[in-house]
Amino acid sequence: MLTSSQRQLLRVISECGPLSRTEMAQLLGFSKAAMSGLARDLIDLGVLHETETVYGPGRPSVRLDLSPECAFFIGVSLLEEPAPMVLSDLTGKIIARRSMPLSRDPAVIADAVAQALPELLANHPDAADRLSGIGIALSGFVDETQARCVQSTLLNWQDVPLARIVSDRCGVETFIENDAKAVAVSEKLFGTARDISNFSVVTLGDGIGCAHFIDGKLYRGNHGGAGEIAHCTIEPGGSPCRCGKRGCLDTIASMKAVGEMARAEGLTCTSLSELEAQASVGNAAAIRILHRAASALGLAIANLIQMNDPGLILITHVEGSFDGLFGTVLKQAVETNVLPRYAGQTPIRFKRVDSDIWARGAASIAAHQFLIGPHSS
Amino acid sequence: MLTSSQRQLLRVISECGPLSRTEMAQLLGFSKAAMSGLARDLIDLGVLHETETVYGPGRPSVRLDLSPECAFFIGVSLLEEPAPMVLSDLTGKIIARRSMPLSRDPAVIADAVAQALPELLANHPDAADRLSGIGIALSGFVDETQARCVQSTLLNWQDVPLARIVSDRCGVETFIENDAKAVAVSEKLFGTARDISNFSVVTLGDGIGCAHFIDGKLYRGNHGGAGEIAHCTIEPGGSPCRCGKRGCLDTIASMKAVGEMARAEGLTCTSLSELEAQASVGNAAAIRILHRAASALGLAIANLIQMNDPGLILITHVEGSFDGLFGTVLKQAVETNVLPRYAGQTPIRFKRVDSDIWARGAASIAAHQFLIGPHSS
DNA sequence: TTGATTTGTTCATTTAGTGAACTTAGTGTC
DNA sequence: GACACTAAGTTCACTAAATGAACAAATCAA
């Protein structure tokens, strides 16, 4: 078990990349003496190692970095059938992939994970040796200890202590998290948002997910529901949503909704890139659909910016690109709906991700627990 | 200067009310031994004092509470002319009121504060003796040290180090804050939200303000702009707003906008309560205006709930009441625009406030600095 | 080679906490 | 009213984690 000072040190390296002892001492407000001891202990533990030497006037400084192979994590996504699994190291690099059958029965899930474990670890004795946690991403609400699923419509769960069930079965510490929140953590730990303390991730796919990091910490909300942007009302009195209300963002801008609208308009293509292609050759229906979806998403993001003033909006998408009509309209809609003074102040990044995104996110939950721990700031 | 452990102790008392040493030790995870020493020191300093004795089996426990008169604060609101000033104690009780001329010149403001100071303190030698800080509320953006005004349209300021200017002139530590954020802090410290770590305040008046507490801390956003709900787009393509965009909540639901709409409809009454009275006797225009404003505000609050899942929404209003049409429609609009599963899960409280609200909020900023300090959690 | 400069270590010291034993002040029972 | 019982709060010796000052190490510049 790491001390809170050790965790602070790991955190600042995770955020800033390799740093010398002196730099860290300044950043964290420790004395050089304290730093020296902390670093020695973490190096002895195998978590840190010395990297490049930086020359300047005076004695050169030696940067310390995380040792990628000091701990390994498994991530499981319960969002698809079959359920993707990944084995990752401490820096988020994926070492191996597998999949397992999906089930709604927690015990069956635990069995499937236990069965897939040796296969994932088969050719990686180091990983088998230093496997430090399992993370599971699911659609639904999770409690703040990342142990119990409070509610999941997709899995038809109500207060299921999945983490305990899996860890009992597999003998490995296990943590669970909501899908979008897991992606946000992986972006904070491994991705584009390492050094940013306030940001929001929007995951654009069949559904729309969103999660916020606030003051360097995942913000879960009072009932675990922070980031439910998909069911913000964008068109009051609009089309009914499966959630029971009307005009939700999800009914307009999710890739599923876009596909359905395309089908309803008699288009044969339903994917974003296909629609973009049609739009670029002047297909009015494709243009209309893309325009409507992008405007809606842009408005929702503009409202998010107005409400929370994040330092970054990161939009992940599995398919298509954002340099076509959809992306242009989206950016424009954001700009026209934020305070003119703010316009352009909040960077919006797009990131194309593959289908591993949820399992990677899940693994990052376990890695986050290992590095940063359960505690708050 | 208080230590971080002492601050934790003060914080938990501020949140929970009077507590015994043993209760605090359990809440904060300290040993009884540590608690004993901390409490003694704070009592010696005059910050805490013993209150009721609670009898049960075993030795009775003695509750400790903040000593209201151990420190006094001055709050100034730069939102009205003349600018209201209050003198408050550590529990937010207002001891004296004054006002001073408003100016856009920071030096003139500092002079006015310095001049009003002795008048405010005149009959309160204790307060003069233990004056511990000045807080200033203003319309605009403030940096996270609560020292500089980054930008204020109303005052036509850009990066003005007001706190330093006033503290240099008056010889008292000074902090500044945005108006709505100051109100949020006063509600956390003195008001209804003491024990709630995630909540949002919406101030409904001539303008609409909003601020968030997240994880027990004021969340200021990356550019200090968190909570700018007034310029969320509610009616895309709607009426132009003075901010430069269209359909902002401010153009529909602020009391100023409501008054203007009433005037445009040829109504002679413009206040919320007068319009309520008209609506209750069937005046169609009054009903239409109130309905539109309440729906808009309800939608904005619903979106806020969806995005941030706060544990409480506190709506402050200077005038009118919320048991008429406006309040009913507002609540209904919130309910129909949040996930049905959430409906009713987020308490919404209304609080009628007087015109002291901003100055009180300002004083609470200074009190917060005194009690909790500048540090994060 | 020498001096300047900055990194990183060592070590005695300080500080903020702990656990265990003790004191205190009440309740309940006979 | 005496006496066990209980829980609150204090005291004290001890420990863990920090600090500051002195020092060793590694390089550049002259």
Short mmCIF file of all heavy atoms in Angstrom, two decimals, chain A residues 305-309 338-343 345, chain B residues 79 136-163 176-181 210 219-231 243:
data_model
loop_
_atom_site.label_atom_id
_atom_site.label_comp_id
_atom_site.label_asym_id
_atom_site.label_seq_id
_atom_site.Cartn_x
_atom_site.Cartn_y
_atom_site.Cartn_z
N ILE A 305 -20.42 23.99 -21.83
CA ILE A 305 -19.35 24.98 -21.64
C ILE A 305 -19.85 26.13 -20.77
O ILE A 305 -19.17 26.57 -19.84
CB ILE A 305 -18.85 25.51 -23.01
CG1 ILE A 305 -18.12 24.39 -23.77
CG2 ILE A 305 -17.93 26.72 -22.82
CD1 ILE A 305 -17.70 24.77 -25.16
N GLN A 306 -21.06 26.61 -21.05
CA GLN A 306 -21.60 27.71 -20.27
C GLN A 306 -21.75 27.32 -18.80
O GLN A 306 -21.47 28.10 -17.89
CB GLN A 306 -22.97 28.12 -20.82
CG GLN A 306 -22.91 28.87 -22.12
CD GLN A 306 -22.17 30.18 -21.96
OE1 GLN A 306 -21.20 30.43 -22.65
NE2 GLN A 306 -22.60 31.01 -21.04
N MET A 307 -22.21 26.11 -18.57
CA MET A 307 -22.47 25.67 -17.20
C MET A 307 -21.19 25.40 -16.44
O MET A 307 -21.08 25.76 -15.27
CB MET A 307 -23.25 24.35 -17.23
CG MET A 307 -24.62 24.50 -17.78
SD MET A 307 -25.84 24.14 -16.54
CE MET A 307 -27.28 24.00 -17.57
N ASN A 308 -20.23 24.73 -17.09
CA ASN A 308 -19.10 24.19 -16.34
C ASN A 308 -17.76 24.78 -16.73
O ASN A 308 -16.76 24.49 -16.06
CB ASN A 308 -19.04 22.68 -16.49
CG ASN A 308 -20.08 21.98 -15.66
OD1 ASN A 308 -20.75 22.62 -14.86
ND2 ASN A 308 -20.21 20.69 -15.83
N ASP A 309 -17.70 25.54 -17.79
CA ASP A 309 -16.46 26.16 -18.20
C ASP A 309 -15.26 25.22 -18.12
O ASP A 309 -14.29 25.49 -17.41
CB ASP A 309 -16.21 27.41 -17.32
CG ASP A 309 -14.98 28.19 -17.75
OD1 ASP A 309 -14.57 28.09 -18.91
OD2 ASP A 309 -14.42 28.91 -16.89
N VAL A 338 -22.14 29.83 -27.33
CA VAL A 338 -21.44 30.21 -26.10
C VAL A 338 -21.30 31.72 -26.10
O VAL A 338 -21.36 32.35 -27.15
CB VAL A 338 -20.04 29.54 -25.96
CG1 VAL A 338 -20.18 28.04 -25.87
CG2 VAL A 338 -19.13 29.94 -27.09
N LEU A 339 -21.11 32.27 -24.91
CA LEU A 339 -20.90 33.71 -24.80
C LEU A 339 -19.85 34.13 -25.80
O LEU A 339 -18.77 33.55 -25.84
CB LEU A 339 -20.39 34.06 -23.40
CG LEU A 339 -21.40 34.42 -22.32
CD1 LEU A 339 -20.67 34.77 -21.04
CD2 LEU A 339 -22.22 35.61 -22.77
N PRO A 340 -20.14 35.13 -26.61
CA PRO A 340 -19.17 35.56 -27.62
C PRO A 340 -17.78 35.77 -27.02
O PRO A 340 -16.77 35.47 -27.65
CB PRO A 340 -19.76 36.87 -28.13
CG PRO A 340 -21.23 36.70 -27.94
CD PRO A 340 -21.40 35.88 -26.71
N ARG A 341 -17.72 36.25 -25.80
CA ARG A 341 -16.43 36.48 -25.18
C ARG A 341 -15.65 35.17 -25.02
O ARG A 341 -14.43 35.13 -25.02
CB ARG A 341 -16.62 37.13 -23.81
CG ARG A 341 -15.32 37.51 -23.14
CD ARG A 341 -15.58 38.04 -21.75
NE ARG A 341 -16.79 38.86 -21.74
CZ ARG A 341 -17.85 38.60 -20.96
NH1 ARG A 341 -17.84 37.56 -20.16
NH2 ARG A 341 -18.90 39.39 -20.99
N TYR A 342 -16.40 34.07 -24.85
CA TYR A 342 -15.78 32.76 -24.65
C TYR A 342 -15.40 32.07 -25.94
O TYR A 342 -14.58 31.16 -25.93
CB TYR A 342 -16.79 31.82 -23.98
CG TYR A 342 -16.80 31.89 -22.51
CD1 TYR A 342 -16.19 32.92 -21.84
CD2 TYR A 342 -17.44 30.90 -21.77
CE1 TYR A 342 -16.22 32.98 -20.48
CE2 TYR A 342 -17.47 30.96 -20.40
CZ TYR A 342 -16.87 32.01 -19.77
OH TYR A 342 -16.90 32.06 -18.42
N ALA A 343 -16.06 32.49 -27.02
CA ALA A 343 -15.94 31.74 -28.26
C ALA A 343 -14.49 31.42 -28.55
O ALA A 343 -13.63 32.29 -28.54
CB ALA A 343 -16.58 32.53 -29.41
N GLN A 345 -12.47 29.95 -26.73
CA GLN A 345 -11.65 29.84 -25.52
C GLN A 345 -11.55 28.40 -25.02
O GLN A 345 -10.62 28.06 -24.31
CB GLN A 345 -12.26 30.70 -24.40
CG GLN A 345 -12.16 32.19 -24.64
CD GLN A 345 -10.75 32.68 -24.40
OE1 GLN A 345 -10.19 32.46 -23.35
NE2 GLN A 345 -10.17 33.33 -25.40
N LEU B 79 -22.75 45.78 -6.80
CA LEU B 79 -23.77 45.53 -7.82
C LEU B 79 -24.82 46.60 -7.87
O LEU B 79 -25.62 46.63 -8.78
CB LEU B 79 -24.41 44.17 -7.55
CG LEU B 79 -23.43 43.02 -7.81
CD1 LEU B 79 -23.54 41.97 -6.74
CD2 LEU B 79 -23.67 42.46 -9.18
N ILE B 136 -15.59 41.29 -1.21
CA ILE B 136 -16.25 42.17 -2.18
C ILE B 136 -16.88 41.32 -3.27
O ILE B 136 -16.22 40.46 -3.85
CB ILE B 136 -15.25 43.17 -2.79
CG1 ILE B 136 -14.60 44.02 -1.69
CG2 ILE B 136 -15.92 44.04 -3.84
CD1 ILE B 136 -13.56 45.00 -2.20
N ALA B 137 -18.16 41.52 -3.51
CA ALA B 137 -18.85 40.79 -4.58
C ALA B 137 -19.04 41.72 -5.76
O ALA B 137 -19.37 42.89 -5.60
CB ALA B 137 -20.21 40.31 -4.09
N LEU B 138 -18.82 41.19 -6.95
CA LEU B 138 -18.98 42.01 -8.14
C LEU B 138 -19.47 41.16 -9.29
O LEU B 138 -19.38 39.93 -9.26
CB LEU B 138 -17.65 42.69 -8.49
CG LEU B 138 -16.40 41.83 -8.58
CD1 LEU B 138 -16.26 41.19 -9.95
CD2 LEU B 138 -15.16 42.69 -8.32
N SER B 139 -19.97 41.81 -10.28
CA SER B 139 -20.41 41.11 -11.47
C SER B 139 -19.22 41.00 -12.41
O SER B 139 -18.68 42.01 -12.84
CB SER B 139 -21.53 41.92 -12.12
OG SER B 139 -21.65 41.59 -13.47
N GLY B 140 -18.78 39.79 -12.67
CA GLY B 140 -17.60 39.61 -13.53
C GLY B 140 -16.84 38.36 -13.14
O GLY B 140 -17.29 37.57 -12.30
N PHE B 141 -15.69 38.18 -13.75
CA PHE B 141 -14.88 37.00 -13.50
C PHE B 141 -13.73 37.32 -12.56
O PHE B 141 -13.11 38.38 -12.68
CB PHE B 141 -14.32 36.45 -14.81
CG PHE B 141 -15.39 36.06 -15.77
CD1 PHE B 141 -15.58 36.76 -16.95
CD2 PHE B 141 -16.24 35.00 -15.49
CE1 PHE B 141 -16.59 36.41 -17.84
CE2 PHE B 141 -17.24 34.64 -16.37
CZ PHE B 141 -17.41 35.34 -17.54
N VAL B 142 -13.46 36.39 -11.65
CA VAL B 142 -12.44 36.59 -10.64
C VAL B 142 -11.47 35.42 -10.71
O VAL B 142 -11.87 34.30 -11.02
CB VAL B 142 -13.11 36.68 -9.25
CG1 VAL B 142 -12.09 36.65 -8.14
CG2 VAL B 142 -13.98 37.93 -9.16
N ASP B 143 -10.20 35.66 -10.45
CA ASP B 143 -9.23 34.57 -10.51
C ASP B 143 -9.35 33.68 -9.28
O ASP B 143 -10.04 34.01 -8.32
CB ASP B 143 -7.81 35.12 -10.65
CG ASP B 143 -7.27 35.62 -9.33
OD1 ASP B 143 -8.08 36.04 -8.49
OD2 ASP B 143 -6.05 35.60 -9.14
N GLU B 144 -8.66 32.52 -9.31
CA GLU B 144 -8.91 31.54 -8.25
C GLU B 144 -8.29 31.91 -6.91
O GLU B 144 -8.59 31.28 -5.91
CB GLU B 144 -8.48 30.13 -8.67
CG GLU B 144 -6.99 29.86 -8.66
CD GLU B 144 -6.40 30.10 -10.04
OE1 GLU B 144 -7.17 30.36 -11.00
OE2 GLU B 144 -5.18 30.04 -10.18
N THR B 145 -7.46 32.94 -6.89
CA THR B 145 -6.95 33.38 -5.59
C THR B 145 -7.90 34.39 -4.95
O THR B 145 -7.61 34.92 -3.88
CB THR B 145 -5.56 34.01 -5.72
OG1 THR B 145 -5.67 35.21 -6.50
CG2 THR B 145 -4.59 33.08 -6.42
N GLN B 146 -8.99 34.68 -5.61
CA GLN B 146 -9.96 35.67 -5.13
C GLN B 146 -9.30 37.02 -4.86
O GLN B 146 -9.60 37.69 -3.89
CB GLN B 146 -10.69 35.14 -3.88
CG GLN B 146 -11.44 33.84 -4.19
CD GLN B 146 -12.28 33.35 -3.05
OE1 GLN B 146 -11.86 33.39 -1.90
NE2 GLN B 146 -13.48 32.86 -3.35
N ALA B 147 -8.39 37.37 -5.75
CA ALA B 147 -7.66 38.62 -5.57
C ALA B 147 -7.84 39.58 -6.75
O ALA B 147 -7.98 40.78 -6.55
CB ALA B 147 -6.18 38.34 -5.38
N ARG B 148 -7.89 39.07 -7.96
CA ARG B 148 -7.94 39.93 -9.13
C ARG B 148 -9.25 39.74 -9.87
O ARG B 148 -9.75 38.62 -10.00
CB ARG B 148 -6.81 39.57 -10.11
CG ARG B 148 -5.44 39.54 -9.50
CD ARG B 148 -4.41 39.06 -10.51
NE ARG B 148 -4.08 40.11 -11.45
CZ ARG B 148 -3.12 41.02 -11.24
NH1 ARG B 148 -2.41 40.96 -10.13
NH2 ARG B 148 -2.88 41.96 -12.12
N CYS B 149 -9.79 40.83 -10.38
CA CYS B 149 -10.95 40.74 -11.27
C CYS B 149 -10.42 40.61 -12.68
O CYS B 149 -9.80 41.53 -13.21
CB CYS B 149 -11.84 41.96 -11.14
SG CYS B 149 -13.16 41.97 -12.37
N VAL B 150 -10.63 39.45 -13.27
CA VAL B 150 -10.10 39.19 -14.60
C VAL B 150 -10.83 40.04 -15.64
O VAL B 150 -10.23 40.60 -16.54
CB VAL B 150 -10.25 37.69 -14.94
CG1 VAL B 150 -9.80 37.41 -16.36
CG2 VAL B 150 -9.45 36.85 -13.95
N GLN B 151 -12.15 40.13 -15.46
CA GLN B 151 -12.93 40.84 -16.48
C GLN B 151 -14.28 41.19 -15.89
O GLN B 151 -14.92 40.36 -15.25
CB GLN B 151 -13.10 39.92 -17.70
CG GLN B 151 -13.24 40.62 -19.02
CD GLN B 151 -14.69 40.97 -19.27
OE1 GLN B 151 -15.58 40.39 -18.66
NE2 GLN B 151 -14.93 41.95 -20.15
N SER B 152 -14.71 42.43 -16.07
CA SER B 152 -16.05 42.81 -15.67
C SER B 152 -16.62 43.80 -16.67
O SER B 152 -16.07 44.88 -16.87
CB SER B 152 -16.04 43.43 -14.27
OG SER B 152 -17.30 44.04 -14.01
N THR B 153 -17.71 43.41 -17.30
CA THR B 153 -18.34 44.30 -18.27
C THR B 153 -18.98 45.47 -17.54
O THR B 153 -18.81 46.63 -17.93
CB THR B 153 -19.43 43.53 -19.05
OG1 THR B 153 -18.91 42.27 -19.44
CG2 THR B 153 -19.85 44.30 -20.29
N LEU B 154 -19.68 45.15 -16.45
CA LEU B 154 -20.40 46.18 -15.71
C LEU B 154 -19.46 47.28 -15.23
O LEU B 154 -19.77 48.48 -15.30
CB LEU B 154 -21.11 45.53 -14.52
CG LEU B 154 -22.18 46.38 -13.87
CD1 LEU B 154 -23.42 46.42 -14.74
CD2 LEU B 154 -22.52 45.85 -12.49
N LEU B 155 -18.31 46.88 -14.71
CA LEU B 155 -17.38 47.86 -14.14
C LEU B 155 -16.36 48.31 -15.18
O LEU B 155 -15.53 49.20 -14.90
CB LEU B 155 -16.66 47.26 -12.93
CG LEU B 155 -17.59 46.93 -11.75
CD1 LEU B 155 -16.95 45.94 -10.81
CD2 LEU B 155 -17.95 48.21 -11.01
N ASN B 156 -16.39 47.67 -16.34
CA ASN B 156 -15.44 47.97 -17.40
C ASN B 156 -14.00 47.75 -16.92
O ASN B 156 -13.14 48.60 -17.07
CB ASN B 156 -15.64 49.41 -17.90
CG ASN B 156 -14.93 49.65 -19.22
OD1 ASN B 156 -14.69 48.69 -19.97
ND2 ASN B 156 -14.58 50.88 -19.50
N TRP B 157 -13.79 46.57 -16.34
CA TRP B 157 -12.48 46.23 -15.80
C TRP B 157 -11.85 45.10 -16.59
O TRP B 157 -12.54 44.27 -17.18
CB TRP B 157 -12.60 45.76 -14.34
CG TRP B 157 -12.81 46.87 -13.37
CD1 TRP B 157 -12.85 48.21 -13.63
CD2 TRP B 157 -13.04 46.72 -11.96
NE1 TRP B 157 -13.08 48.91 -12.48
CE2 TRP B 157 -13.20 48.02 -11.44
CE3 TRP B 157 -13.12 45.64 -11.10
CZ2 TRP B 157 -13.44 48.25 -10.08
CZ3 TRP B 157 -13.36 45.86 -9.76
CH2 TRP B 157 -13.52 47.16 -9.26
N GLN B 158 -10.56 45.08 -16.55
CA GLN B 158 -9.79 44.03 -17.19
C GLN B 158 -8.57 43.81 -16.29
O GLN B 158 -7.74 44.69 -16.18
CB GLN B 158 -9.34 44.51 -18.58
CG GLN B 158 -8.98 43.43 -19.55
CD GLN B 158 -10.20 43.04 -20.39
OE1 GLN B 158 -11.09 43.87 -20.63
NE2 GLN B 158 -10.25 41.79 -20.83
N ASP B 159 -8.54 42.67 -15.64
CA ASP B 159 -7.39 42.32 -14.80
C ASP B 159 -7.05 43.40 -13.76
O ASP B 159 -5.96 43.96 -13.76
CB ASP B 159 -6.17 42.03 -15.69
CG ASP B 159 -5.17 41.15 -14.95
OD1 ASP B 159 -5.61 40.30 -14.16
OD2 ASP B 159 -3.96 41.33 -15.14
N VAL B 160 -8.00 43.68 -12.90
CA VAL B 160 -7.81 44.68 -11.84
C VAL B 160 -7.52 43.97 -10.51
O VAL B 160 -8.33 43.15 -10.07
CB VAL B 160 -9.07 45.55 -11.70
CG1 VAL B 160 -8.95 46.47 -10.49
CG2 VAL B 160 -9.31 46.34 -12.97
N PRO B 161 -6.38 44.24 -9.89
CA PRO B 161 -6.04 43.58 -8.62
C PRO B 161 -6.74 44.26 -7.45
O PRO B 161 -6.10 44.80 -6.55
CB PRO B 161 -4.52 43.73 -8.54
CG PRO B 161 -4.23 44.99 -9.28
CD PRO B 161 -5.30 45.14 -10.34
N LEU B 162 -8.07 44.20 -7.46
CA LEU B 162 -8.86 44.96 -6.50
C LEU B 162 -8.54 44.59 -5.05
O LEU B 162 -8.47 45.47 -4.17
CB LEU B 162 -10.35 44.76 -6.78
CG LEU B 162 -11.28 45.56 -5.88
CD1 LEU B 162 -11.08 47.05 -6.09
CD2 LEU B 162 -12.74 45.19 -6.13
N ALA B 163 -8.35 43.29 -4.81
CA ALA B 163 -8.14 42.86 -3.42
C ALA B 163 -6.92 43.55 -2.83
O ALA B 163 -6.96 44.06 -1.71
CB ALA B 163 -7.98 41.34 -3.37
N ILE B 176 -12.07 39.06 -3.21
CA ILE B 176 -13.21 39.41 -4.07
C ILE B 176 -13.78 38.15 -4.68
O ILE B 176 -13.13 37.10 -4.71
CB ILE B 176 -12.79 40.41 -5.17
CG1 ILE B 176 -11.87 39.73 -6.20
CG2 ILE B 176 -12.10 41.61 -4.57
CD1 ILE B 176 -11.50 40.65 -7.35
N GLU B 177 -15.00 38.22 -5.13
CA GLU B 177 -15.62 37.06 -5.78
C GLU B 177 -16.77 37.51 -6.66
O GLU B 177 -17.36 38.57 -6.44
CB GLU B 177 -16.08 36.05 -4.72
CG GLU B 177 -16.50 34.70 -5.26
CD GLU B 177 -15.50 34.09 -6.24
OE1 GLU B 177 -15.60 34.42 -7.43
OE2 GLU B 177 -14.64 33.31 -5.83
N ASN B 178 -17.05 36.69 -7.63
CA ASN B 178 -18.22 36.88 -8.48
C ASN B 178 -19.49 36.82 -7.64
O ASN B 178 -19.56 36.09 -6.65
CB ASN B 178 -18.21 35.77 -9.54
CG ASN B 178 -19.54 35.61 -10.22
OD1 ASN B 178 -20.39 34.86 -9.74
ND2 ASN B 178 -19.73 36.30 -11.30
N ASP B 179 -20.50 37.58 -8.01
CA ASP B 179 -21.72 37.70 -7.20
C ASP B 179 -22.39 36.36 -6.88
O ASP B 179 -22.61 36.04 -5.71
CB ASP B 179 -22.71 38.66 -7.89
CG ASP B 179 -22.86 38.38 -9.38
OD1 ASP B 179 -22.35 37.35 -9.84
OD2 ASP B 179 -23.50 39.19 -10.08
N ALA B 180 -22.71 35.58 -7.91
CA ALA B 180 -23.43 34.33 -7.66
C ALA B 180 -22.55 33.35 -6.87
O ALA B 180 -23.05 32.62 -6.00
CB ALA B 180 -23.85 33.69 -8.99
N LYS B 181 -21.26 33.35 -7.15
CA LYS B 181 -20.37 32.44 -6.44
C LYS B 181 -20.30 32.82 -4.97
O LYS B 181 -20.24 31.97 -4.09
CB LYS B 181 -18.98 32.44 -7.09
CG LYS B 181 -18.97 31.80 -8.48
CD LYS B 181 -17.57 31.66 -9.04
CE LYS B 181 -17.55 30.94 -10.38
NZ LYS B 181 -18.17 31.69 -11.47
N CYS B 210 -25.60 31.90 -11.34
CA CYS B 210 -25.56 30.50 -10.93
C CYS B 210 -24.14 30.15 -10.53
O CYS B 210 -23.18 30.71 -11.07
CB CYS B 210 -26.02 29.62 -12.09
SG CYS B 210 -25.83 27.86 -11.83
N TYR B 219 -16.75 25.52 -7.29
CA TYR B 219 -16.13 25.21 -8.58
C TYR B 219 -16.20 26.44 -9.46
O TYR B 219 -17.26 26.93 -9.78
CB TYR B 219 -16.82 24.03 -9.26
CG TYR B 219 -16.30 23.80 -10.65
CD1 TYR B 219 -14.93 23.60 -10.86
CD2 TYR B 219 -17.12 23.80 -11.75
CE1 TYR B 219 -14.43 23.40 -12.13
CE2 TYR B 219 -16.63 23.62 -13.03
CZ TYR B 219 -15.28 23.41 -13.20
OH TYR B 219 -14.77 23.23 -14.47
N ARG B 220 -15.04 26.90 -9.84
CA ARG B 220 -14.96 28.18 -10.53
C ARG B 220 -14.86 28.01 -12.04
O ARG B 220 -15.13 28.95 -12.77
CB ARG B 220 -13.76 28.92 -9.94
CG ARG B 220 -13.12 29.94 -10.77
CD ARG B 220 -12.05 30.65 -9.99
NE ARG B 220 -12.65 31.50 -9.01
CZ ARG B 220 -12.69 31.25 -7.72
NH1 ARG B 220 -12.17 30.15 -7.25
NH2 ARG B 220 -13.26 32.10 -6.90
N GLY B 221 -14.48 26.84 -12.50
CA GLY B 221 -14.32 26.61 -13.94
C GLY B 221 -12.94 27.03 -14.39
O GLY B 221 -12.18 27.63 -13.65
N ASN B 222 -12.64 26.68 -15.61
CA ASN B 222 -11.28 26.87 -16.08
C ASN B 222 -10.94 28.35 -16.30
O ASN B 222 -9.80 28.75 -16.12
CB ASN B 222 -11.07 26.09 -17.37
CG ASN B 222 -9.69 25.54 -17.45
OD1 ASN B 222 -9.31 24.75 -16.59
ND2 ASN B 222 -8.93 25.97 -18.42
N HIS B 223 -11.93 29.14 -16.68
CA HIS B 223 -11.67 30.57 -16.85
C HIS B 223 -12.48 31.37 -15.84
O HIS B 223 -12.76 32.55 -16.06
CB HIS B 223 -12.04 31.03 -18.26
CG HIS B 223 -11.56 30.15 -19.36
ND1 HIS B 223 -12.30 29.11 -19.84
CD2 HIS B 223 -10.39 30.13 -20.03
CE1 HIS B 223 -11.61 28.51 -20.81
NE2 HIS B 223 -10.45 29.10 -20.93
N GLY B 224 -12.91 30.73 -14.77
CA GLY B 224 -13.75 31.42 -13.80
C GLY B 224 -15.19 31.58 -14.25
O GLY B 224 -15.96 32.30 -13.63
N GLY B 225 -15.57 30.89 -15.32
CA GLY B 225 -16.88 31.12 -15.90
C GLY B 225 -17.91 30.04 -15.62
O GLY B 225 -18.98 30.04 -16.22
N ALA B 226 -17.61 29.12 -14.70
CA ALA B 226 -18.59 28.08 -14.41
C ALA B 226 -19.85 28.71 -13.85
O ALA B 226 -19.78 29.64 -13.05
CB ALA B 226 -18.02 27.07 -13.42
N GLY B 227 -21.01 28.21 -14.30
CA GLY B 227 -22.27 28.72 -13.79
C GLY B 227 -22.89 29.82 -14.62
O GLY B 227 -23.88 30.42 -14.20
N GLU B 228 -22.35 30.05 -15.80
CA GLU B 228 -22.93 31.11 -16.63
C GLU B 228 -24.21 30.63 -17.30
O GLU B 228 -24.38 30.70 -18.52
CB GLU B 228 -21.91 31.58 -17.67
CG GLU B 228 -21.00 32.67 -17.18
CD GLU B 228 -21.74 33.96 -16.82
OE1 GLU B 228 -22.81 34.22 -17.39
OE2 GLU B 228 -21.22 34.70 -15.96
N ILE B 229 -25.13 30.18 -16.49
CA ILE B 229 -26.37 29.60 -16.99
C ILE B 229 -27.22 30.65 -17.71
O ILE B 229 -28.00 30.33 -18.61
CB ILE B 229 -27.14 29.00 -15.80
CG1 ILE B 229 -28.23 28.04 -16.26
CG2 ILE B 229 -27.72 30.08 -14.94
CD1 ILE B 229 -28.98 27.43 -15.08
N ALA B 230 -27.05 31.91 -17.35
CA ALA B 230 -27.88 32.97 -17.92
C ALA B 230 -27.73 33.05 -19.43
O ALA B 230 -28.65 33.44 -20.14
CB ALA B 230 -27.53 34.32 -17.29
N HIS B 231 -26.57 32.64 -19.91
CA HIS B 231 -26.36 32.72 -21.35
C HIS B 231 -26.28 31.35 -22.00
O HIS B 231 -25.64 31.18 -23.03
CB HIS B 231 -25.15 33.60 -21.66
CG HIS B 231 -25.35 35.00 -21.16
ND1 HIS B 231 -26.14 35.91 -21.82
CD2 HIS B 231 -24.96 35.62 -20.03
CE1 HIS B 231 -26.19 37.04 -21.14
NE2 HIS B 231 -25.47 36.89 -20.03
N CYS B 243 -25.57 40.04 -24.74
CA CYS B 243 -24.26 39.38 -24.80
C CYS B 243 -23.83 39.18 -26.25
O CYS B 243 -22.68 38.84 -26.52
CB CYS B 243 -24.30 38.03 -24.09
SG CYS B 243 -25.05 36.70 -25.05
#
